Amino acid sequence: MSHVRRTFAWSLGVGFATLAWAQVSTPVTTIPGMPPVPDPTNLYSETAPGKMSPSVANDLPRVYVPNLRGNDVWVIDPATLKVVDKFKVGLGPQHVVPSWDMKTLWVANNAERTPNGSLTPVDPKTGKPGKAIPVDDPYNMYFTPDGRSAIVVAEAYKRLDFRDPHTFELQGSLSVPRCGGINHADFSIDGRYAIFTCEFTGGVAKIDLVNRKVLGYLQLILPGKPTKVVKGPDGRDETICTTWKGMPQDIRVSPDGRTWYIADMMSDGIYVVDGESFAQTDYIRTSTGAHGLYPSRDGKRLYIANRGSNKVHGPPKGKGGVSVLDFATRKIVAEWPIPGGGSPDMGNVSADGKQLWLSGRYDDVVYVIDTDTGAVKQIKVGAEPHGLTVWPQPGRYSLGHTGNMR
């Protein structure tokens, strides 16, 4: 009898181990044209230090800082921490966006409240700008995972414009009418859908990238706030908050592609959403004005820039800093305040993973943060720096923003 029990236990153990191995090793079926996913447990596996594409081999190591009120870009040499160049761009530069093929950096000049939006190309091999291309309201820009379309986020129009990624000729537009302040996004592990944040309506929108349609909207709810169930425009029940509306900002997906983290500057934390069911599952408190989100180069941690204010136009020297989240435990494992106060906003991680570069939105500086110790260095830049990019970065292709690499 004991032999039977031991055999059954051994068989059961092998069965569970096989099942676990199968779950881990099941390949991801991506949309046509999208590069394969080498590691289904870590979609950031190809952005690790040293995994540089041959296409960026001769690119200058630089940090490009768009200054929103200065209508210019300042260029920093990360080796010396010195500003080495400055050049004018269009009106209201928001983000510097690496192209899908990583051959061009695009400065998104959304020229807020005017019809003069444009994209300024920058050659990463020389660091010099080219002739701007007129584009409606490019607050931000992403690329479909197959590289066939640029997605210009026309925030003022609640619209996503799908354009040729080289000429920017319009391919088609998608209205997202219930997503006021549509601005930041990330993409599913298989490329089927994206989730965009809706800054002014306090929620997120799920977008089918294959059929280019809106799959649904979700209001993000701060725990403890009163809620009620109402009928949405499509007739389905929706849970809404009756007294509170957040202001979601950046969004990033977990290494295994299942969980989405959404920074909210009014809620002082990040919301957690299950991508497939499109349901909120958690809320994690960080610090004042949670804003930008950046995975570590090993895909184990998420750096959360807290801008130090709940206001769109906040004061200098706020209670800004960085919270560090462990992906595996979903716990905050470190807090790095900016000495003397500050306003860390958008940026990215250095190619070697040792530094986190962030714009100081209300302080006209750039922060260089040691990712081992949290020690901070500051570099003076122009008026209201926003979505800076660190270049080059490891990865096979860029999904846009300030370098959402895969």
Side-chain angles (χ1 to χ4, degrees):
M1 188 71 174
S2 60
H3 171 72
V4 173
R5 283 198 298 268
R6 284 197 300 272
T7 302
F8 175 74
W10 180 85
S11 300
L12 188 63
V14 170
F16 280 131
T18 303
L19 178 60
W21 180 88
Q23 288 175 334
V24 168
S25 303
T26 301
V28 175
T29 302
T30 61
I31 61 171
M34 175 181 165
V37 179
D39 182 356
T41 68
N42 181 17
L43 55 80
Y44 302 115
S45 65
E46 304 311 294
T47 69
K51 292 193 173 184
M52 306 294 282
S53 168
S55 65
V56 303
N58 296 317
D59 290 1
L60 294 172
R62 295 289 185 264
V63 178
Y64 297 87
V65 185
N67 298 300
L68 181 60
R69 288 189 290 110
N71 299 323
D72 58 10
V73 171
W74 288 25
V75 185
I76 299 171
D77 182 340
T80 63
L81 305 184
K82 301 293 186 183
V83 175
V84 294
D85 198 7
K86 303 174 186 177
F87 51 82
K88 285 290 184 180
V89 291
L91 297 175
Q94 300 281 2
H95 303 92
V96 178
V97 182
S99 63
W100 187 90
D101 61 10
M102 303 185 292
K103 294 180 179 179
T104 308
L105 305 177
W106 293 97
V107 185
N109 314 298
N110 80 317
E112 191 172 4
R113 291 186 289 275
T114 82
N116 301 318
S118 65
L119 294 168
T120 301
V122 177
D123 183 345
K125 289 180 170 42
T126 65
K128 300 300 182 182
K131 184 179 179 181
I133 299 174
V135 172
D136 281 347
D137 190 37
Y139 174 82
N140 208 346
M141 187 164 68
Y142 292 88
F143 296 90
T144 55
D146 59 10
R148 294 175 182 172
S149 301
I151 306 174
V152 174
V153 184
E155 181 189 58
Y157 301 105
K158 302 178 186 177
R159 194 179 72 206
L160 299 176
D161 289 340
F162 292 82
R163 295 179 177 271
D164 181 281
H166 306 290
T167 67
F168 290 92
E169 180 180 354
L170 186 66
Q171 298 171 337
S173 295
L174 176 64
S175 176
V176 194
R178 295 176 59 197
C179 190
I182 187 169
N183 49 36
H184 298 97
D186 207 354
F187 297 76
S188 64
I189 193 170
D190 57 8
R192 289 185 300 111
Y193 67 88
I195 298 178
F196 281 79
T197 58
C198 311
E199 180 174 359
F200 304 138
T201 48
V204 288
K206 187 174 182 179
I207 307 297
D208 180 337
L209 294 174
V210 177
N211 301 296
R212 296 191 179 177
K213 64 180 182 180
V214 179
L215 293 174
Y217 299 92
L218 174 69
Q219 185 183 11
L220 302 171
I221 297 174
L222 192 64
K225 299 294 183 181
T227 62
K228 69 176 181 179
V229 177
V230 299
K231 289 291 182 184
D234 57 2
R236 291 184 293 183
D237 288 345
E238 294 183 3
T239 301
I240 65 168
C241 181
T242 57
T243 63
W244 174 262
K245 184 174 69 174
M247 191 172 279
Q249 304 294 317
D250 206 1
I251 177 171
R252 293 308 292 263
V253 66
S254 63
D256 63 8
R258 298 176 182 177
T259 305
W260 302 66
Y261 295 89
I262 302 150
D264 193 298
M265 63 179 284
M266 293 297 290
S267 303
D268 297 336
I270 53 178
Y271 292 100
V272 183
V273 168
D274 178 83
E276 289 301 314
S277 65
F278 200 43
Q280 181 180 327
T281 59
D282 202 357
Y283 162 82
I284 302 168
R285 171 82 182 188
T286 61
S287 190
T288 306
H291 203 83
L293 302 176
Y294 305 96
S296 61
R297 286 278 169 235
D298 60 8
K300 294 182 178 181
R301 294 185 172 189
L302 183 66
Y303 303 120
I304 304 156
N306 302 302
R307 204 159 71 174
S309 174
N310 303 122
K311 297 179 179 179
V312 174
H313 301 289
K317 303 295 182 183
K319 296 180 180 180
V322 173
S323 302
V324 183
L325 176 114
D326 181 273
F327 274 125
T329 63
R330 294 188 191 173
K331 302 293 185 184
I332 300 297
V333 295
E335 293 281 1
W336 300 332
I338 302 297
S343 51
D345 191 295
M346 291 284 173
N348 218 317
V349 180
S350 61
D352 62 8
K354 295 180 179 180
Q355 296 173 328
L356 173 64
W357 288 72
L358 296 170
S359 59
R361 183 74 174 267
Y362 309 134
D363 294 273
D364 298 344
V365 297
V366 164
Y367 306 113
V368 188
I369 302 171
D370 186 303
T371 55
D372 285 329
T373 66
V376 181
K377 296 178 181 178
Q378 300 190 23
I379 304 167
K380 179 67 177 175
V381 292
E384 198 174 347
H386 192 197
L388 69 80
T389 196
V390 181
W391 199 255
Q393 293 183 36
R396 298 166 298 160
Y397 61 99
S398 163
L399 290 171
H401 192 40
T402 59
N404 287 15
M405 311 298 290
R406 295 282 177 91

